[in-house]
Coordinates of all heavy atoms in Angstrom, one line a residue:
L23 N -51.6 -41.5 -48.1 CA -50.3 -42.1 -48.2 C -50.2 -43.0 -49.4 O -51.2 -43.8 -49.6 CB -50.1 -42.9 -46.9 CG -48.7 -43.6 -46.7 CD1 -47.6 -42.5 -46.6 CD2 -48.7 -44.4 -45.5
V24 N -49.2 -42.9 -50.2 CA -49.0 -43.7 -51.4 C -48.2 -45.0 -51.0 O -47.1 -44.8 -50.4 CB -48.3 -42.9 -52.5 CG1 -48.1 -43.8 -53.7 CG2 -49.1 -41.7 -52.8
T25 N -48.7 -46.1 -51.3 CA -48.0 -47.4 -51.0 C -46.7 -47.5 -51.8 O -46.7 -47.2 -53.0 CB -48.9 -48.6 -51.3 OG1 -50.1 -48.4 -50.6 CG2 -48.2 -49.9 -50.9
G26 N -45.6 -47.9 -51.1 CA -44.3 -48.1 -51.8 C -43.5 -46.8 -51.9 O -42.4 -46.9 -52.4
V27 N -44.0 -45.7 -51.5 CA -43.3 -44.4 -51.6 C -42.9 -44.0 -50.2 O -43.8 -43.9 -49.3 CB -44.1 -43.3 -52.3 CG1 -43.4 -42.0 -52.3 CG2 -44.5 -43.7 -53.7
Q28 N -41.6 -43.8 -50.0 CA -41.2 -43.4 -48.7 C -40.9 -41.8 -48.7 O -40.2 -41.4 -49.6 CB -39.9 -44.1 -48.3 CG -39.5 -43.9 -46.9 CD -38.2 -44.7 -46.5 OE1 -37.5 -45.2 -47.4 NE2 -38.1 -44.9 -45.2
T29 N -41.4 -41.1 -47.8 CA -41.2 -39.7 -47.7 C -40.3 -39.4 -46.5 O -40.4 -40.1 -45.5 CB -42.5 -38.9 -47.6 OG1 -43.2 -39.3 -46.5 CG2 -43.3 -39.1 -48.9
C30 N -39.6 -38.4 -46.6 CA -38.7 -38.0 -45.4 C -38.9 -36.5 -45.2 O -38.9 -35.7 -46.1 CB -37.2 -38.2 -45.7 SG -36.1 -37.9 -44.4
A31 N -39.2 -36.2 -44.0 CA -39.4 -34.8 -43.6 C -38.1 -34.0 -43.6 O -37.1 -34.5 -43.2 CB -40.1 -34.7 -42.2
L32 N -38.1 -32.8 -44.0 CA -36.9 -31.9 -44.1 C -36.8 -31.2 -42.7 O -37.7 -30.5 -42.3 CB -37.0 -30.9 -45.2 CG -35.9 -29.9 -45.2 CD1 -34.6 -30.5 -45.7 CD2 -36.2 -28.7 -46.1
P33 N -35.7 -31.4 -42.0 CA -35.6 -30.8 -40.7 C -35.1 -29.4 -40.9 O -34.3 -29.1 -41.8 CB -34.5 -31.6 -40.0 CG -33.7 -32.2 -41.1 CD -34.6 -32.4 -42.3
I34 N -35.6 -28.4 -40.2 CA -35.1 -27.1 -40.1 C -34.7 -26.8 -38.7 O -35.5 -27.0 -37.8 CB -36.1 -26.1 -40.7 CG1 -35.5 -24.7 -40.7 CG2 -37.4 -26.1 -40.0 CD1 -36.3 -23.6 -41.5
F35 N -33.5 -26.3 -38.5 CA -33.0 -25.9 -37.2 C -33.1 -24.5 -37.0 O -32.6 -23.7 -37.8 CB -31.6 -26.4 -37.0 CG -31.5 -28.0 -37.0 CD1 -31.4 -28.7 -38.1 CD2 -31.6 -28.6 -35.8 CE1 -31.3 -30.1 -38.1 CE2 -31.5 -30.0 -35.7 CZ -31.4 -30.7 -36.9
I36 N -33.8 -24.0 -36.0 CA -34.0 -22.6 -35.8 C -33.3 -22.2 -34.5 O -33.6 -22.7 -33.4 CB -35.5 -22.3 -35.7 CG1 -36.2 -22.8 -36.9 CG2 -35.8 -20.8 -35.5 CD1 -37.7 -22.8 -36.8
G37 N -32.4 -21.2 -34.6 CA -31.6 -20.7 -33.5 C -32.3 -19.5 -32.9 O -32.9 -18.7 -33.6
Y38 N -32.1 -19.4 -31.6 CA -32.7 -18.3 -30.8 C -31.6 -17.7 -29.9 O -30.7 -18.5 -29.5 CB -33.9 -18.7 -30.0 CG -35.1 -19.1 -30.8 CD1 -35.2 -20.5 -31.2 CD2 -36.0 -18.3 -31.3 CE1 -36.3 -20.9 -31.9 CE2 -37.1 -18.7 -32.0 CZ -37.2 -20.0 -32.4 OH -38.3 -20.4 -33.1
T39 N -31.8 -16.5 -29.4 CA -30.9 -15.9 -28.5 C -31.7 -15.2 -27.3 O -32.9 -15.1 -27.4 CB -30.0 -14.8 -29.1 OG1 -30.9 -13.8 -29.6 CG2 -29.2 -15.4 -30.2
D40 N -31.0 -14.7 -26.3 CA -31.6 -13.9 -25.4 C -31.5 -12.5 -25.8 O -31.2 -12.2 -27.0 CB -31.0 -14.1 -24.0 CG -29.5 -13.8 -24.0 OD1 -29.0 -13.2 -24.9 OD2 -28.8 -14.3 -23.0
Q41 N -31.7 -11.5 -25.0 CA -31.8 -10.1 -25.4 C -30.5 -9.3 -25.1 O -30.4 -8.1 -25.2 CB -32.9 -9.3 -24.7 CG -34.3 -9.8 -25.1 CD -35.4 -9.0 -24.5 OE1 -35.3 -8.7 -23.3 NE2 -36.4 -8.7 -25.3
V42 N -29.4 -10.0 -24.7 CA -28.1 -9.4 -24.5 C -27.5 -9.1 -25.8 O -27.3 -10.0 -26.7 CB -27.2 -10.3 -23.7 CG1 -25.8 -9.7 -23.5 CG2 -27.9 -10.6 -22.3
G43 N -27.1 -7.8 -26.1 CA -26.5 -7.4 -27.3 C -27.6 -6.8 -28.3 O -28.7 -6.8 -28.0
S44 N -27.0 -6.3 -29.4 CA -27.9 -5.7 -30.4 C -28.8 -6.7 -31.2 O -28.4 -7.9 -31.2 CB -27.1 -4.9 -31.4 OG -26.3 -5.7 -32.2
A45 N -29.8 -6.2 -31.8 CA -30.6 -7.1 -32.6 C -29.8 -7.7 -33.8 O -29.9 -8.9 -34.1 CB -31.9 -6.3 -33.2
K46 N -29.0 -6.9 -34.4 CA -28.2 -7.4 -35.5 C -27.2 -8.5 -35.0 O -27.1 -9.5 -35.7 CB -27.4 -6.2 -36.1 CG -26.5 -6.7 -37.3 CD -25.7 -5.5 -37.8 CE -24.8 -6.1 -38.9 NZ -23.8 -5.2 -39.4
Y47 N -26.5 -8.3 -33.9 CA -25.6 -9.2 -33.4 C -26.3 -10.6 -33.1 O -25.9 -11.7 -33.4 CB -25.0 -8.7 -32.1 CG -24.2 -9.8 -31.4 CD1 -22.9 -10.2 -31.8 CD2 -24.7 -10.4 -30.2 CE1 -22.2 -11.1 -31.1 CE2 -24.0 -11.4 -29.6 CZ -22.7 -11.7 -30.0 OH -22.0 -12.7 -29.3
N48 N -27.5 -10.5 -32.5 CA -28.3 -11.7 -32.1 C -28.8 -12.4 -33.3 O -29.0 -13.6 -33.2 CB -29.4 -11.3 -31.1 CG -28.8 -11.2 -29.7 OD1 -28.4 -12.2 -29.1 ND2 -28.8 -10.0 -29.1
M49 N -29.2 -11.7 -34.4 CA -29.6 -12.4 -35.6 C -28.5 -13.2 -36.1 O -28.7 -14.4 -36.5 CB -30.1 -11.4 -36.6 CG -31.5 -10.9 -36.4 SD -32.8 -12.2 -36.3 CE -32.9 -12.6 -37.9
E50 N -27.3 -12.7 -36.2 CA -26.1 -13.4 -36.7 C -25.8 -14.6 -35.8 O -25.5 -15.7 -36.2 CB -24.9 -12.5 -36.8 CG -25.0 -11.4 -37.8 CD -23.9 -10.3 -37.8 OE1 -22.9 -10.6 -37.1 OE2 -24.0 -9.4 -38.6
L51 N -25.8 -14.3 -34.5 CA -25.5 -15.4 -33.4 C -26.5 -16.5 -33.5 O -26.1 -17.7 -33.6 CB -25.5 -14.8 -32.1 CG -25.2 -15.8 -30.9 CD1 -23.8 -16.4 -31.1 CD2 -25.3 -15.1 -29.6
S52 N -27.8 -16.2 -33.7 CA -28.8 -17.3 -33.7 C -28.7 -18.1 -35.0 O -28.8 -19.3 -35.0 CB -30.2 -16.7 -33.6 OG -30.5 -15.9 -34.7
G53 N -28.3 -17.5 -36.1 CA -28.0 -18.2 -37.3 C -26.8 -19.1 -37.2 O -26.8 -20.3 -37.7
K54 N -25.8 -18.6 -36.6 CA -24.6 -19.4 -36.4 C -24.8 -20.6 -35.4 O -24.3 -21.7 -35.6 CB -23.4 -18.6 -35.8 CG -22.8 -17.6 -36.8 CD -21.8 -16.7 -36.1 CE -21.2 -15.7 -37.1 NZ -20.2 -14.9 -36.5
R55 N -25.7 -20.3 -34.4 CA -26.0 -21.4 -33.5 C -26.8 -22.5 -34.2 O -26.5 -23.7 -34.0 CB -26.9 -20.8 -32.4 CG -27.3 -21.8 -31.3 CD -28.0 -21.0 -30.2 NE -26.9 -20.3 -29.3 CZ -27.1 -19.2 -28.7 NH1 -28.2 -18.6 -28.8 NH2 -26.1 -18.7 -28.0
A56 N -27.7 -22.2 -35.1 CA -28.5 -23.2 -35.8 C -27.6 -23.9 -36.8 O -27.7 -25.1 -37.0 CB -29.7 -22.5 -36.5
E57 N -26.7 -23.1 -37.5 CA -25.8 -23.8 -38.5 C -24.8 -24.7 -37.8 O -24.5 -25.7 -38.4 CB -25.1 -22.6 -39.2 CG -24.2 -23.2 -40.4 CD -25.0 -23.9 -41.4 OE1 -26.2 -23.5 -41.7 OE2 -24.5 -24.9 -42.0
A58 N -24.4 -24.4 -36.6 CA -23.5 -25.3 -35.9 C -24.1 -26.7 -35.7 O -23.5 -27.7 -35.8 CB -23.1 -24.7 -34.6
V59 N -25.4 -26.7 -35.3 CA -26.1 -27.9 -35.1 C -26.2 -28.7 -36.4 O -26.0 -29.9 -36.5 CB -27.5 -27.7 -34.5 CG1 -28.3 -29.0 -34.4 CG2 -27.3 -27.2 -33.1
G60 N -26.6 -28.0 -37.5 CA -26.8 -28.6 -38.8 C -25.5 -29.2 -39.3 O -25.4 -30.2 -39.8
T61 N -24.4 -28.4 -39.1 CA -23.0 -28.8 -39.5 C -22.6 -30.1 -38.8 O -22.1 -31.1 -39.4 CB -22.0 -27.8 -39.3 OG1 -22.4 -26.6 -40.2 CG2 -20.6 -28.2 -39.7
A62 N -22.8 -30.2 -37.5 CA -22.5 -31.4 -36.7 C -23.3 -32.6 -37.2 O -22.7 -33.6 -37.3 CB -22.8 -31.1 -35.3
L63 N -24.5 -32.4 -37.5 CA -25.3 -33.6 -38.1 C -24.9 -34.0 -39.4 O -24.9 -35.2 -39.7 CB -26.8 -33.2 -38.0 CG -27.4 -33.1 -36.6 CD1 -28.8 -32.6 -36.6 CD2 -27.2 -34.4 -35.8
R64 N -24.5 -33.0 -40.3 CA -24.0 -33.3 -41.6 C -22.7 -34.1 -41.5 O -22.5 -35.1 -42.2 CB -23.9 -32.1 -42.4 CG -25.1 -31.5 -43.0 CD -24.9 -30.4 -43.9 NE -26.0 -29.4 -43.9 CZ -26.0 -28.3 -43.3 NH1 -25.0 -27.9 -42.5 NH2 -27.1 -27.5 -43.3
Q65 N -21.8 -33.7 -40.7 CA -20.5 -34.3 -40.5 C -20.6 -35.7 -40.0 O -19.8 -36.6 -40.4 CB -19.6 -33.5 -39.6 CG -19.1 -32.2 -40.2 CD -18.4 -31.3 -39.2 OE1 -18.4 -31.5 -38.0 NE2 -17.7 -30.3 -39.8
K66 N -21.6 -35.9 -39.2 CA -21.9 -37.3 -38.6 C -22.7 -38.2 -39.6 O -23.1 -39.2 -39.3 CB -22.5 -37.3 -37.2 CG -21.5 -36.6 -36.2 CD -22.1 -36.8 -34.8 CE -21.2 -36.2 -33.8 NZ -20.0 -36.9 -33.6
Q67 N -23.1 -37.5 -40.7 CA -23.9 -38.2 -41.7 C -25.3 -38.6 -41.2 O -25.8 -39.6 -41.6 CB -23.1 -39.3 -42.4 CG -21.9 -38.8 -43.1 CD -21.1 -39.9 -43.8 OE1 -21.3 -41.1 -43.5 NE2 -20.2 -39.5 -44.6
V68 N -25.8 -37.9 -40.3 CA -27.1 -38.2 -39.7 C -28.2 -37.7 -40.8 O -29.1 -38.4 -41.0 CB -27.3 -37.5 -38.4 CG1 -28.7 -37.6 -37.9 CG2 -26.3 -38.0 -37.3
Q69 N -27.9 -36.6 -41.4 CA -28.9 -36.0 -42.3 C -28.1 -35.0 -43.2 O -27.4 -34.2 -42.8 CB -29.9 -35.2 -41.5 CG -31.0 -34.5 -42.4 CD -32.1 -35.4 -42.9 OE1 -32.3 -36.5 -42.2 NE2 -32.7 -35.1 -44.0
N70 N -28.3 -35.2 -44.5 CA -27.6 -34.3 -45.5 C -28.4 -33.0 -45.8 O -27.9 -32.0 -46.0 CB -27.3 -35.1 -46.8 CG -26.2 -36.1 -46.6 OD1 -25.3 -35.8 -45.8 ND2 -26.3 -37.2 -47.3
S71 N -29.7 -33.2 -46.0 CA -30.6 -32.1 -46.3 C -31.1 -31.4 -45.0 O -32.1 -31.9 -44.4 CB -31.8 -32.5 -47.2 OG -31.3 -33.1 -48.3
I72 N -30.5 -30.3 -44.7 CA -30.9 -29.6 -43.5 C -30.9 -28.1 -43.8 O -30.1 -27.6 -44.4 CB -29.8 -29.8 -42.3 CG1 -29.7 -31.3 -41.9 CG2 -30.0 -28.9 -41.2 CD1 -28.6 -31.6 -40.9
E73 N -32.0 -27.5 -43.3 CA -32.1 -26.0 -43.4 C -31.9 -25.4 -42.0 O -32.2 -26.1 -41.0 CB -33.6 -25.7 -43.8 CG -33.9 -26.1 -45.2 CD -33.2 -25.4 -46.3 OE1 -32.9 -24.2 -46.1 OE2 -32.8 -26.0 -47.3
T74 N -31.3 -24.2 -42.0 CA -31.0 -23.5 -40.8 C -31.6 -22.1 -40.9 O -31.7 -21.6 -41.9 CB -29.6 -23.5 -40.4 OG1 -28.9 -22.8 -41.4 CG2 -29.0 -24.9 -40.2
L75 N -32.0 -21.6 -39.7 CA -32.6 -20.2 -39.7 C -32.3 -19.6 -38.3 O -32.4 -20.3 -37.3 CB -34.1 -20.4 -39.9 CG -34.9 -19.1 -39.8 CD1 -34.6 -18.1 -40.9 CD2 -36.4 -19.4 -39.8
G76 N -31.9 -18.3 -38.3 CA -31.7 -17.6 -37.1 C -32.9 -16.7 -36.8 O -33.3 -15.9 -37.7
M77 N -33.4 -16.7 -35.6 CA -34.5 -15.8 -35.3 C -34.1 -14.7 -34.3 O -34.9 -13.9 -33.9 CB -35.6 -16.6 -34.6 CG -36.2 -17.6 -35.6 SD -37.0 -16.9 -37.0 CE -38.4 -16.1 -36.2
G78 N -32.8 -14.7 -33.8 CA -32.4 -13.7 -32.9 C -33.3 -13.7 -31.6 O -33.6 -14.8 -31.2
F79 N -33.6 -12.6 -31.1 CA -34.5 -12.6 -30.0 C -35.9 -12.1 -30.3 O -36.7 -11.6 -29.5 CB -34.0 -11.8 -28.8 CG -33.6 -10.3 -29.1 CD1 -34.6 -9.4 -29.3 CD2 -32.3 -9.9 -29.2 CE1 -34.3 -8.0 -29.5 CE2 -31.9 -8.6 -29.5 CZ -32.9 -7.7 -29.6
S80 N -36.3 -12.3 -31.6 CA -37.6 -11.9 -32.1 C -38.8 -12.6 -31.4 O -39.9 -12.1 -31.4 CB -37.7 -12.0 -33.6 OG -37.6 -13.4 -33.9
Q81 N -38.5 -13.7 -30.9 CA -39.6 -14.5 -30.2 C -39.3 -14.7 -28.7 O -39.5 -15.8 -28.2 CB -39.8 -15.8 -30.9 CG -40.3 -15.6 -32.4 CD -40.6 -16.9 -33.1 OE1 -40.5 -18.0 -32.5 NE2 -40.9 -16.8 -34.3
T82 N -38.8 -13.7 -28.1 CA -38.4 -13.8 -26.7 C -39.7 -13.9 -25.9 O -40.7 -13.2 -26.0 CB -37.7 -12.5 -26.3 OG1 -36.5 -12.3 -27.1 CG2 -37.3 -12.5 -24.8
Q83 N -39.6 -14.9 -24.9 CA -40.7 -15.1 -24.0 C -40.4 -14.5 -22.6 O -41.3 -14.2 -21.9 CB -40.9 -16.6 -23.9 CG -41.4 -17.2 -25.2 CD -41.4 -18.7 -25.2 OE1 -41.0 -19.3 -24.2 NE2 -41.8 -19.3 -26.3
I84 N -39.1 -14.4 -22.3 CA -38.8 -13.8 -21.0 C -37.8 -12.7 -21.2 O -36.7 -12.9 -21.8 CB -38.1 -14.9 -20.1 CG1 -38.9 -16.1 -19.9 CG2 -37.6 -14.3 -18.8 CD1 -38.2 -17.3 -19.2
E85 N -38.2 -11.5 -20.9 CA -37.4 -10.3 -21.2 C -36.4 -10.1 -20.1 O -36.6 -10.5 -18.9 CB -38.3 -9.1 -21.4 CG -39.1 -9.2 -22.7 CD -39.9 -8.0 -23.0 OE1 -39.5 -6.9 -22.5 OE2 -40.8 -8.1 -23.8
G86 N -35.3 -9.4 -20.4 CA -34.3 -9.0 -19.5 C -33.0 -9.8 -19.6 O -32.8 -10.5 -20.6
K87 N -32.2 -9.7 -18.6 CA -30.8 -10.3 -18.7 C -30.6 -11.3 -17.5 O -29.5 -11.5 -17.1 CB -29.7 -9.2 -18.7 CG -29.8 -8.3 -19.8 CD -28.8 -7.2 -19.8 CE -28.9 -6.3 -21.0 NZ -27.9 -5.2 -21.0
S88 N -31.7 -11.8 -17.0 CA -31.6 -12.7 -15.9 C -31.2 -14.1 -16.3 O -31.1 -14.4 -17.5 CB -33.0 -12.8 -15.2 OG -33.9 -13.5 -16.0
I89 N -30.9 -14.9 -15.3 CA -30.5 -16.3 -15.7 C -31.8 -17.0 -16.3 O -31.6 -17.8 -17.3 CB -30.1 -17.1 -14.4 CG1 -28.8 -16.6 -13.9 CG2 -30.1 -18.6 -14.6 CD1 -28.4 -17.1 -12.5
E90 N -32.9 -16.7 -15.9 CA -34.1 -17.3 -16.6 C -34.2 -16.8 -18.0 O -34.5 -17.7 -18.9 CB -35.4 -16.8 -15.9 CG -36.0 -17.6 -14.8 CD -36.1 -19.1 -15.1 OE1 -36.8 -19.6 -16.0 OE2 -35.4 -19.9 -14.4
A91 N -33.9 -15.6 -18.3 CA -33.9 -15.1 -19.7 C -32.9 -15.8 -20.5 O -33.1 -16.0 -21.7 CB -33.8 -13.6 -19.7
S92 N -31.7 -16.1 -20.0 CA -30.6 -16.7 -20.7 C -31.0 -18.1 -21.2 O -30.4 -18.7 -22.1 CB -29.4 -16.7 -19.9 OG -29.4 -17.7 -18.9
K93 N -32.0 -18.7 -20.6 CA -32.5 -20.1 -21.1 C -33.1 -20.0 -22.4 O -33.4 -21.1 -23.0 CB -33.4 -20.6 -20.0 CG -32.8 -20.9 -18.7 CD -33.8 -21.5 -17.7 CE -33.1 -21.8 -16.4 NZ -34.1 -22.2 -15.4
Q94 N -33.3 -18.8 -23.0 CA -33.8 -18.7 -24.4 C -32.8 -19.0 -25.4 O -33.1 -19.1 -26.6 CB -34.5 -17.4 -24.5 CG -35.6 -17.2 -23.5 CD -36.3 -15.8 -23.7 OE1 -37.4 -15.8 -24.2 NE2 -35.6 -14.8 -23.2
R95 N -31.5 -19.1 -25.0 CA -30.5 -19.5 -26.0 C -30.6 -20.9 -26.3 O -30.4 -21.8 -25.5 CB -29.1 -19.3 -25.3 CG -28.9 -17.9 -24.9 CD -27.6 -17.8 -24.1 NE -27.5 -16.5 -23.4 CZ -26.7 -16.3 -22.5 NH1 -25.9 -17.2 -21.9 NH2 -26.6 -15.0 -21.9
R96 N -31.1 -21.2 -27.5 CA -31.5 -22.5 -27.9 C -31.6 -22.7 -29.4 O -31.6 -21.8 -30.2 CB -32.8 -23.0 -27.3 CG -34.0 -22.2 -27.9 CD -35.3 -22.3 -27.1 NE -36.4 -21.7 -27.8 CZ -36.7 -20.4 -27.8 NH1 -35.9 -19.6 -27.1 NH2 -37.7 -19.9 -28.4
V97 N -31.6 -24.0 -29.8 CA -31.9 -24.4 -31.2 C -33.0 -25.4 -31.1 O -33.0 -26.3 -30.4 CB -30.7 -25.0 -31.9 CG1 -31.1 -25.5 -33.2 CG2 -29.6 -24.0 -32.0
E98 N -34.1 -25.1 -31.9 CA -35.2 -26.0 -32.0 C -35.2 -26.7 -33.4 O -34.7 -26.1 -34.3 CB -36.5 -25.2 -31.8 CG -36.8 -24.6 -30.5 CD -38.0 -23.8 -30.4 OE1 -38.7 -23.7 -31.4 OE2 -38.4 -23.4 -29.3
V99 N -35.7 -27.9 -33.4 CA -35.8 -28.6 -34.7 C -37.3 -28.7 -35.0 O -38.1 -29.1 -34.2 CB -35.1 -29.9 -34.7 CG1 -35.6 -30.9 -33.7 CG2 -35.1 -30.5 -36.1
H100 N -37.6 -28.4 -36.3 CA -39.0 -28.6 -36.8 C -38.9 -29.4 -38.1 O -37.9 -29.3 -38.8 CB -39.6 -27.3 -37.1 CG -39.8 -26.4 -35.9 ND1 -40.9 -26.4 -35.2 CD2 -38.9 -25.6 -35.3 CE1 -40.8 -25.5 -34.1 NE2 -39.5 -25.0 -34.2
F101 N -39.8 -30.3 -38.4 CA -39.8 -31.1 -39.6 C -40.9 -30.7 -40.5 O -42.1 -30.5 -40.1 CB -40.0 -32.6 -39.2 CG -38.7 -33.1 -38.4 CD1 -38.7 -33.1 -37.1 CD2 -37.7 -33.6 -39.1 CE1 -37.7 -33.6 -36.4 CE2 -36.6 -34.1 -38.4 CZ -36.6 -34.0 -37.0
Y102 N -40.6 -30.5 -41.7 CA -41.6 -30.1 -42.8 C -41.5 -31.0 -43.9 O -40.6 -31.6 -44.3 CB -41.3 -28.7 -43.3 CG -41.4 -27.6 -42.2 CD1 -40.3 -27.2 -41.5 CD2 -42.6 -27.1 -41.9 CE1 -40.4 -26.3 -40.4 CE2 -42.8 -26.2 -40.9 CZ -41.7 -25.7 -40.2 OH -41.9 -24.8 -39.2

């Protein structure tokens, strides 16, 4: 750590979906989901430098179309 230098981690918002719909549709939807969170934070001037990424259902943990599977619809934030 350098004294007197302040660093700020870059947040990246990653959107995910469940398995309902095609892979193409879910990639677009997950990207829109992440971008919606990023846009809201930019508009509220919480953070200007934000990255967004859609993952679709590529990292599905619960398969199928159940209520449990629908809980995979989410946006996660990671700091780099």
Side-chain angles (χ1 to χ4, degrees):
L23 183 65
V24 179
T25 305
V27 176
Q28 187 176 22
T29 60
C30 183
L32 176 68
I34 182 167
F35 292 87
I36 306 172
Y38 296 91
T39 63
D40 57 20
Q41 292 183 321
V42 177
S44 69
K46 180 181 177 191
Y47 171 79
N48 279 295
M49 283 300 287
E50 291 172 9
L51 178 61
S52 63
K54 289 178 182 179
R55 183 170 283 148
E57 187 58 38
V59 173
T61 298
L63 292 174
R64 284 186 207 101
Q65 288 174 346
K66 293 188 181 291
Q67 298 180 344
V68 173
Q69 178 80 24
N70 289 327
S71 299
I72 293 173
E73 295 290 326
T74 60
L75 176 65
M77 296 297 290
F79 56 74
S80 64
Q81 295 182 5
T82 300
Q83 297 170 355
I84 303 169
E85 295 189 16
K87 299 179 182 180
S88 67
I89 292 173
E90 267 314 295
S92 71
K93 292 179 182 176
Q94 298 181 106
R95 301 174 192 159
R96 68 193 185 279
V97 173
E98 295 178 354
V99 62
H100 299 263
F101 294 92
Y102 296 96

